[in-house]
Amino acid sequence: MKWNLRWVAAQRDIWRPSQLKIAFEEVGFTPSLSKVAALWSGKPVTLRLDDLDMICAALGCEVADLLHAEPVAGAEAGQETLQQAAGQNPRAGSGSRPMPRQSVPGAVRRALPPN
């Protein structure tokens, strides 16, 4: 996902986190300046949906304006790995079957108690 908060804010003539905080407060969203600066400076790891609604209300935008899906690097390789894990790839060669545990020399095997 690409986080476009700065781009959307710039289209509304907002150029600093302090200006963004004022816009947020106008719609009743009162995050700390450090939280606003974190949203401003990079992609958030987590974001509450209520907060996302308030950000959109403050900037007069849609969620799609703030978030833009990007293809993940190596997506094809990841898909092939998923297919192999699910047993859907007929070309999956060695390593695709489970192997029994190797016994350790000198290890004592415990017997299960009778039923």
Side-chain angles (χ1 to χ4, degrees):
M1 272 303 157
K2 184 173 182 184
W3 179 240
N4 293 321
L5 177 68
R6 290 178 85 158
W7 176 255
V8 173
Q11 291 175 335
R12 279 120 183 113
D13 204 30
I14 297 173
W15 301 100
R16 305 176 109 181
S18 58
Q19 294 172 314
L20 185 61
K21 185 175 182 338
I22 292 168
F24 287 166
E25 289 171 348
E26 289 174 358
V27 295
F29 181 43
T30 56
S32 66
L33 185 57
S34 63
K35 181 173 181 175
V36 174
L39 290 171
W40 183 265
S41 64
K43 178 171 55 172
V45 175
T46 61
L47 187 62
R48 292 180 40 200
L49 293 177
D50 293 340
D51 293 350
L52 190 58
D53 277 340
M54 296 299 267
I55 292 169
C56 288
L59 295 175
C61 66
E62 298 291 323
V63 174
D65 298 330
L66 291 172
L67 298 172
H68 178 30
E70 293 182 319
V72 178
E76 294 87 23
Q79 183 65 25
E80 185 175 319
T81 302
L82 287 175
Q83 288 175 345
Q84 286 178 355
Q88 297 174 352
N89 190 347
R91 294 182 293 138
S94 63
S96 64
R97 298 183 64 200
M99 299 297 292
R101 288 188 190 171
Q102 300 293 324
S103 61
V104 179
V108 178
R109 291 189 62 145
R110 295 186 306 167
L112 294 175
N115 286 338

